[in-house]
Amino acid sequence: MANFTTITMTPAALKQLERKVAEQTEGKGLRIALKKRGCSGLAYDLSIVAIAGSDERVFPQGDDLFICIPAKDLPFVMGMTIDYVREGLNAHFKFVNPHEVASCGCGESFTVAE
């Protein structure tokens, strides 16, 4: 059952975030925003950031890392778990979002309950 007050990362996702942040000179966190795109309507837009914006909620991860989410996107992602998975030759962040009700066939975009 999802905890609807936070965003969590699995150990595999946290390890990958540590790798991504280490590649940046000033990055310390992962911004997850929602963008309108794809055939299902919404897609995750990820970026490594040094600080969170004033309109973002911060979720500490480990000792020095964080996830930040724009306030406008919070209702659509609260309770989400982020994993990092290998599927065949590909590896990627996988979002287990309790608000997702449908996704496109290619997995690029999703729909949430209104």
Side-chain angles (χ1 to χ4, degrees):
M1 175 180 249
N3 178 346
F4 285 93
T5 62
T6 192
I7 306 291
T8 57
M9 296 186 92
T10 65
L14 186 57
K15 187 174 182 178
Q16 181 62 18
L17 177 57
E18 288 170 345
R19 281 190 208 115
K20 291 287 186 186
V21 165
E23 294 171 2
Q24 305 291 319
T25 57
E26 295 183 24
K28 287 292 179 193
L30 177 66
R31 174 176 291 128
I32 303 172
L34 298 180
K35 300 291 183 188
K36 291 185 186 262
R37 84 174 148 222
C39 52
S40 287
L42 295 172
Y44 298 106
D45 184 42
L46 309 178
S47 56
I48 301 296
V49 296
I51 59 171
S54 61
D55 68 333
E56 295 178 322
R57 173 113 181 256
V58 175
F59 300 90
Q61 303 292 317
D63 294 330
D64 297 325
L65 303 174
F66 63 88
I67 294 172
C68 58
I69 311 276
K72 68 178 181 56
D73 297 334
L74 283 172
F76 308 109
V77 298
M78 288 304 288
M80 179 171 66
T81 298
I82 304 164
D83 196 5
Y84 190 75
V85 297
R86 290 201 175 277
E87 295 172 344
L89 297 176
N90 299 314
H92 58 91
F93 285 111
K94 179 179 180 179
F95 302 92
V96 181
N97 186 340
H99 304 283
E100 187 177 311
V101 294
S103 62
C104 67
C106 67
E108 180 69 23
S109 62
F110 63 97
T111 303
V112 294
E114 296 282 332

